[in-house]
Amino acid sequence: DKKKEIIEYLENIAEDQFISLYKQPFSKNAISSGFTQKNSFDFKKDPNSFLYHLDHIMNNEGLTGQDEIITLYESPIDFYHPMFRDEAFIEKYNTPVFLKRDMKDHRKFVYYTIKDKNIDDIKKEISKDTHGSHVAGTIAGKNIYADKKTEMFTIFDGIAPDAKIFYAGRYDSMDADDLKYEMKSHKSRVFSNSWGYDSNIFASIYNKMARDYDYGLIVFACGNVY
């Protein structure tokens, strides 16, 4: 009865969007991103959150992705999330011009587009599919609270927290020629793909793109499905 009473109380709070059973939290990026950079298990315990994590040794040495642009084909990235949020752009998110525009002043995105979608459609997709946010956060996420100088806010940052993101939509949002042109225009030299899809279908397309765009690195996930 007490649980039911609590749930009914929470349901009446307008800001609550989702209620679920409690699950014991465990760290993911706090471990994997540090391990990727050092290949060791020299764990530290954050004094504020009490989470165990690994130092981002490359970031600590100044390799943070500064001035790099990472291109992603992915499900919609949650631009309200603290890893990508930019307060100066909050109002602009609700306008159609946001969907296909350069965003050179945004702290995380240089470009964000969804094919034939409006802002309400994007919000619905973001609420259903968080994979794009997960991938983008792992690669280049940087917590908006990082300036608080508290380690608790930075242990989940991505591998290259100072890199920016060229979000090209889903894998069918641009053809290879348009993508190659936009990547060159925005000086993006890394193209990351982490699909749960049979990418062999696109092998010839991206092999050709790799040949034509020889100063760019094209990366596909291995084992995302099988």
Side-chain angles (χ1 to χ4, degrees), residues 119-134:
I119 194 69
D120 291 329
D121 292 332
I122 292 178
K123 288 179 179 178
K124 288 177 183 177
E125 287 201 47
I126 288 172
S127 68
K128 292 188 298 184
D129 187 351
T130 61
H131 191 262
S133 302
H134 155 64

Side-chain angles (χ1 to χ4, degrees), residues 42-116:
D42 185 16
F43 288 106
K44 294 173 62 177
K45 189 175 183 180
D46 178 69
N48 297 293
S49 66
F50 304 109
L51 289 173
Y52 286 94
H53 64 101
L54 296 173
D55 268 339
H56 293 188
I57 188 169
M58 291 185 181
N59 298 160
N60 295 342
E61 293 296 325
L63 296 173
T64 62
Q66 184 72 41
D67 299 324
E68 294 294 335
I69 310 295
I70 314 298
T71 296
L72 287 178
Y73 266 164
E74 257 301 341
S75 58
I77 302 169
D78 185 357
F79 35 78
Y80 293 112
H81 193 283
M83 287 292 175
F84 317 106
R85 187 182 182 95
D86 189 327
E87 294 294 337
F89 277 74
I90 293 298
E91 294 301 322
K92 295 179 182 179
Y93 292 155
N94 295 314
T95 62
V97 70
F98 163 70
L99 301 181
K100 291 187 178 181
R101 60 166 294 168
D102 291 323
M103 302 170 66
K104 60 183 179 181
D105 296 325
H106 195 283
R107 78 176 188 96
K108 268 292 139 192
F109 297 108
V110 298
Y111 191 93
Y112 192 112
T113 186
I114 298 287
K115 184 179 180 181
D116 301 327

